[in-house]
Amino acid sequence: MASLDAATARGTTKGTRGGTTVESTRSGRGRGTPARRRRRYPEYLLFLAFIAPNFLFVLVFAYWPVIYNGYLSLTDWNMLAPTKDLVGLANYRDLFTDPDFLATLRQTVVFVVGVVVGSMVLGLATALLLNQRLVGRRFVRTMAFAPHVLSGAAIGTLWLFIFDPNYGLIRPLLAPLGLTSPPWMTSSRWALPGLIIVYLWKSTGFIAIVYLAGLQNLPRDLYESAALDGAGSWRLFRKITLPLLSPVTFFLFLTTIISAFQAFDVIALMTEGGPGTSTTTLSWFIYQRAFVASDAGHAAAAAMIMFVLLVAMTALQARFLERRVHYR
Amino acid sequence: MDTSTVVSRRSLLGGAGAAALALTTFGCSGKSDSGYGQAKGNVPDKYAKRTRVVLWSAYSGTPGTTLSALAQKFNDSQDEVYVEVQFQGTYDQASQKTAAAVQAKQIPDLVTFSEVTWHRFYLNDLLEPLDGYFTGDFAKSVYQQQLLSEGVLKGKTWWLPFARSTPLFYYNKTLFAKAGLPDRGPADWDEWYGWSKQLKGLQASGKQVKMECYQKVDGDWQFQGSVWQWGGSYSDGLTVTINKPEAVAAAEWQRKLIFDDKMAYMADSPTTDFSNQLVATMVTSTGSLSTAVAAAKKGGWEVGTAFVPAKARQVVPTGGGGLSIMRYATSKRKKAAFAFIKFLADPANAAYWCVKTGYMPAVGEAVNDPQLATLLKANPNYNVAVQQLAKVRKEDEVRLMVPNSNVMIYTGLQKIWSDNAPVQGVFDDVASQLTKATGQVKAQIEKHV
């Protein structure tokens, strides 16, 4: 890093091209004689030709949908009519005065907090466990990761069976405790906790494996020094493990929040947002408004709200949480 | 290096340009004059030179394989048309995909819409009027007239009956016998309620048997019948009436059965629970008959069917699917699609469909076909559905025509069935949502109906 900084300070960058070290003077770039510029012109074209496919791909499939969605959020359109009527911000006003949408926002927050906090804690705990020298460790690691690679449809079907109050696998587990299995997916009280459990099961394995990779890269010498100074396991965990894992935690926190906001497949299969609207989260609300109610305007407005929320949360995390991340 | 194999940048770009042009040309090749192309698929070599018809189907399981078998029979019966059946999920999913296809301007030719979803496409002028396609040897009169009339608006036929059904009353004969109940359906809901008291405490396979359960998603279809039986309606024309006392009384009856009498509950699938003997009776589609009969046979018990009980009235809604042709398909494909509709309406084929699936015969003559006639004679349960056709009625206008109205109604019902929410409050809320949604499409409906 120091040598790169020094090179940058001198206005010089180094790199390799075709195995030969090349050096270019930044201050001289873009200048030169007209003849030299003419010689470089094909190089720019070549550069543009190389980046064009990816650039177009990102533009068409990432940015254009967001821009077009922003436009749709200002219209009244049933997804079949040839014309879209501009209605300004009316869709946003409708959403923020709709009790169902406000309830959806509350449920989304409960779901996201439940999934993110739960899966991060369980993932870290699982990783700490898998980091021990246990018999059958590799098998257990594979099993822990397996739910992450299953499709949402398979997970939904599996958990519908597990949660079945009459025949489900959870029933005999609760019976010895004198408890009966509640009607998980047909009860407004239990459906959202049930979905959070399913998503915890789905995402914990992935988080555990990423944490495990982080744990295995921690420097042993720090632990040895701290142990020599008399630090106990809890102190080692709190003062060394957690701070050194903070880049991993930061990455997982960001990605888990985004994926929890976008959770859709299991909800679609298990509850369809019900009973009532008790498991309607933002992503289901958007789908329901757009494709079931044929109301593209309100769906697009809700999607823009979700987009802004995610961007804002990511920016806030980058601004405030990243300060506490210890990059080695 | 052999220079003859080196591709220059210029020739590469030239080649890419030619490929893009070729792809564009190819992509446009299936488009009609209106700019709509045909949904993609695969045609076996032996049918390659025929007019290809893409049918988007909402049928899986037995109905799905039966429809595919009929398409295969049609493809082998002539040499001009090839029908390609493409399964697109449930009626709602098929409708959503068709809406997306319209936006992408790459549409199927023939679609199986439900009694609700076809209106959405009709109101947006996307369906083909079918009256002009009928000829001397294939008249509209071949269809059961009540069912046919449900696809007619403004004097034109837009949707032809195919997989039609009504709610039917199912009961577990074996459990009824154990509880000392008669082997028949109840005359009315009050008699049924008395029977539920007699059945209370009965167990099957170690589980407490309940009297009935309500379908969590789409249960508003069965409840449409309940509302009518109690003398109410979802709407009178486009005026919402779901919060009137009769409809409220129908839902209050069910709420009480769940939370006071503990003899009913909300279920993901009443058919599954009935098949597992968790409930002794259910009101669900005639299309569930083959599933219930098969489960009973396997479980060593017997299924009985009867008319849905009466309260103030004895009436049930129709439901299920029919066939529509997309307006912007090419004329050649529309004619070819109608040839397949004609084939499906042949009494032998219509009877085969009914026998295999349990759907009601939409073609009058099908009941005289030997295969269906034999089944109706041998298994009276199938006959009940046919006889109940005399009691059917087209659903209320708001449920049929206002987008999302069915979801609004069943979401309200879920709150009652799962949360014990006060019925009047829930239905006032649903009525307010329905009225608002109706207002948004009222002008469009009035223009088209």
Side-chain angles (χ1 to χ4, degrees):
Chain A
M1 184 63 84
S3 61
L4 177 63
D5 288 345
T8 310
R10 289 197 304 273
T12 308
T13 56
K14 282 185 178 180
T16 54
R17 190 189 296 161
T20 311
T21 303
V22 291
E23 190 168 308
S24 66
T25 308
R26 186 174 291 169
S27 58
R29 193 171 288 168
R31 294 180 184 178
T33 62
R36 194 171 171 186
R37 280 206 297 271
R38 270 199 303 278
R39 276 201 305 277
R40 280 186 177 168
Y41 188 63
E43 282 185 28
Y44 288 130
L45 282 182
L46 186 62
F47 163 74
L48 286 175
F50 276 131
I51 67 155
N54 280 346
F55 180 70
L56 277 175
F57 192 83
V58 171
L59 196 70
V60 170
F61 292 103
Y63 295 116
W64 175 242
V66 175
I67 295 164
Y68 192 70
N69 187 73
Y71 159 68
L72 280 182
S73 74
L74 306 175
T75 67
D76 175 16
W77 183 47
N78 71 2
M79 297 188 75
L80 284 174
T83 54
K84 306 169 183 76
D85 299 327
L86 274 173
V87 292
L89 296 173
N91 292 328
Y92 291 93
R93 194 183 56 227
D94 289 350
L95 287 179
F96 284 116
T97 53
D98 175 5
D100 279 347
F101 181 71
L102 298 176
T104 297
L105 284 179
R106 280 195 300 275
Q107 280 148 208
T108 308
V109 170
V110 171
F111 177 79
V112 170
V113 170
V115 169
V116 173
V117 174
S119 60
M120 298 281 289
V121 171
L122 284 173
L124 180 57
T126 311
L128 289 169
L129 197 66
L130 293 177
N131 201 31
Q132 308 300 313
R133 294 191 179 280
L134 301 171
V135 179
R137 187 171 53 165
R138 285 190 179 181
F139 175 73
V140 176
R141 279 180 196 171
T142 310
M143 293 307 289
F145 191 69
H148 182 68
V149 296
L150 286 178
S151 73
I155 290 171
T157 309
L158 175 72
W159 277 90
L160 275 177
F161 174 64
I162 292 174
F163 279 148
D164 187 297
N166 293 299
Y167 297 102
L169 289 176
I170 214 162
R171 195 167 166 265
L173 292 176
L174 294 173
L177 305 171
L179 300 170
T180 52
S181 180
W184 292 93
M185 293 296 123
T186 52
S187 149
S188 295
R189 188 189 296 174
W190 290 100
L192 191 59
L195 279 181
I196 292 173
I197 290 172
V198 176
Y199 273 95
L200 286 179
W201 182 82
K202 184 178 181 227
S203 50
T204 296
F206 171 74
I207 290 172
I209 293 299
V210 177
Y211 263 134
L212 184 61
L215 281 172
Q216 292 181 343
N217 277 324
L218 297 185
R220 305 313 308 169
D221 51 339
L222 275 179
Y223 285 92
E224 284 159 12
S225 308
L228 282 175
D229 289 342
S233 359
W234 171 243
R235 201 173 171 82
L236 287 177
F237 173 72
R238 211 159 50 87
K239 296 289 184 185
I240 299 180
T241 310
L242 270 186
L244 289 182
L245 279 180
S246 56
V248 179
T249 304
F250 182 65
F251 161 76
L252 286 172
F253 194 57
L254 267 183
T255 52
T256 312
I257 282 184
I258 292 170
S259 78
F261 258 98
Q262 293 173 343
F264 179 82
D265 46 3
V266 174
I267 295 173
L269 205 111
M270 295 186 75
T271 64
E272 297 195 29
T277 50
S278 61
T279 57
T280 300
T281 58
L282 257 179
S283 56
W284 180 260
F285 181 91
I286 292 164
Y287 162 76
Q288 210 280 336
R289 294 306 307 172
F291 296 103
V292 182
S294 302
D295 181 359
H298 287 98
M304 288 310 291
I305 291 167
M306 182 160 129
F307 175 72
V308 170
L309 276 176
L310 283 173
V311 169
M313 285 173 67
T314 308
L316 283 174
Q317 285 163 24
R319 176 87 174 79
F320 296 108
L321 285 185
E322 203 175 11
R323 281 184 190 167
R324 308 186 66 169
V325 172
H326 296 259
Y327 291 109
R328 280 184 291 137
Chain B
M1 185 187 283
D2 178 3
T3 51
S4 66
T5 59
V6 174
V7 180
S8 71
R9 197 185 308 155
R10 185 169 294 176
S11 62
L12 181 70
L13 289 173
L21 186 65
L23 282 172
T24 310
T25 313
F26 179 76
C28 293
S29 62
K31 290 197 173 177
S32 67
D33 295 343
S34 55
Y36 286 79
Q38 189 183 34
K40 295 277 178 262
N42 293 308
V43 182
D45 289 344
K46 69 175 185 173
Y47 304 119
K49 291 183 179 170
R50 300 183 181 192
T51 303
R52 175 172 167 262
V53 170
V54 174
L55 164 57
W56 277 11
S57 153
Y59 307 115
S60 57
T62 306
T65 50
T66 307
L67 182 58
S68 295
L70 284 167
Q72 185 63 52
K73 187 179 168 194
F74 173 74
N75 291 335
D76 293 339
S77 69
Q78 41 76 47
D79 57 7
E80 290 178 2
V81 179
Y82 173 69
V83 171
E84 184 178 335
V85 181
Q86 297 179 352
F87 173 61
Q88 299 294 345
T90 62
Y91 285 124
D92 282 343
Q93 288 164 344
S95 161
Q96 290 159 18
K97 289 178 187 179
T98 307
V102 168
Q103 287 311 308
K105 291 190 179 268
Q106 198 164 30
I107 54 174
D109 307 301
L110 195 54
V111 185
T112 57
F113 289 122
S114 76
E115 87 280 14
V116 171
T117 56
W118 76 268
H119 290 92
R120 185 179 171 200
F121 294 86
Y122 165 72
L123 292 174
N124 287 282
D125 302 316
L126 290 163
L127 300 184
E128 176 77 357
L130 302 172
D131 308 80
Y133 292 89
F134 285 96
T135 51
D137 62 334
F138 179 42
K140 282 188 277 184
S141 56
V142 303
Y143 289 105
Q144 205 279 343
Q145 291 304 291
Q146 163 70 26
L147 299 180
L148 177 76
S149 69
E150 294 181 15
V152 177
L153 281 172
K154 283 219 158 181
K156 290 183 179 168
T157 310
W158 309 92
W159 179 70
L160 289 168
F162 177 57
R164 302 306 310 276
S165 57
T166 64
L168 193 64
F169 180 81
Y170 294 77
Y171 65 100
N172 184 321
K173 289 184 171 208
T174 312
L175 289 177
F176 265 38
K178 276 187 192 169
L181 299 173
D183 182 9
R184 63 173 173 85
D188 54 37
W189 283 110
D190 292 318
E191 185 178 29
W192 178 93
Y193 184 70
W195 290 359
S196 76
K197 301 279 181 195
Q198 262 180 272
L199 196 119
K200 201 164 190 173
L202 193 68
Q203 290 208 331
S205 311
K207 306 269 186 321
Q208 186 73 43
V209 177
K210 302 264 175 140
M211 195 60 174
E212 72 171 354
C213 57
Y214 308 112
Q215 190 173 313
K216 186 171 87 173
V217 173
D218 292 335
D220 61 310
W221 179 59
Q222 289 92 328
F223 189 70
Q224 168 78 91
S226 302
V227 168
W228 286 341
Q229 288 144 26
W230 261 256
S233 59
Y234 285 159
S235 70
D236 178 7
L238 290 177
T239 306
V240 176
T241 54
I242 194 171
N243 55 345
K244 300 287 180 206
E246 295 84 0
V248 170
E252 180 59 27
W253 168 273
Q254 299 185 347
R255 188 206 62 74
K256 193 169 159 290
L257 274 163
I258 296 173
F259 296 100
D260 297 352
D261 301 314
K262 316 273 186 205
M263 283 306 285
Y265 61 97
M266 182 173 78
D268 280 314
S269 164
T271 306
T272 303
D273 288 10
F274 181 76
S275 299
N276 288 317
Q277 302 196 78
L278 295 172
V279 287
T281 74
M282 70 168 173
V283 173
T284 200
S285 166
T286 49
S288 293
L289 186 54
S290 23
T291 307
V293 168
K297 196 174 172 186
K298 197 175 168 190
W301 51 280
E302 276 189 87
V303 178
T305 59
F307 284 10
V308 176
K311 184 76 177 169
R313 291 185 291 207
Q314 186 161 44
V315 57
V316 286
T318 49
L323 294 155
S324 292
I325 293 178
M326 298 302 289
R327 183 179 184 176
Y328 293 115
T330 60
S331 339
K332 196 177 176 187
R333 296 207 311 263
K334 285 191 277 197
K335 279 182 194 156
F338 195 79
F340 185 54
I341 288 178
K342 183 181 173 186
F343 175 84
L344 292 175
D346 176 82
N349 296 328
Y352 175 75
W353 170 253
C354 296
V355 168
K356 288 283 181 187
T357 63
Y359 282 111
M360 291 194 302
V363 172
E365 269 303 299
V367 290
N368 297 324
D369 184 84
Q371 48 185 335
L372 185 55
T374 309
L375 178 73
L376 294 177
K377 200 173 172 185
N379 193 335
N381 282 332
Y382 285 88
N383 222 359
V384 175
V386 178
Q387 288 165 350
Q388 199 185 231
L389 269 171
K391 306 280 183 189
V392 300
R393 195 171 121 186
K394 186 180 173 180
E395 291 167 40
D396 291 331
E397 215 158 295
V398 160
R399 184 179 188 273
L400 289 178
M401 298 203 184
V402 177
N404 210 33
S405 57
N406 59 331
V407 178
M408 292 174 199
I409 299 170
Y410 78 62
T411 301
L413 287 170
Q414 287 177 1
K415 289 176 184 168
I416 296 164
W417 294 335
S418 71
D419 296 348
N420 199 12
V423 176
Q424 186 67 59
V426 171
F427 277 7
D428 283 343
D429 188 32
V430 172
S432 153
Q433 292 175 39
L434 288 173
T435 304
K436 191 177 170 192
T438 305
Q440 287 166 352
V441 290
K442 197 169 184 179
Q444 199 181 16
I445 294 173
E446 283 171 349
K447 184 182 158 197
H448 285 82
V449 178

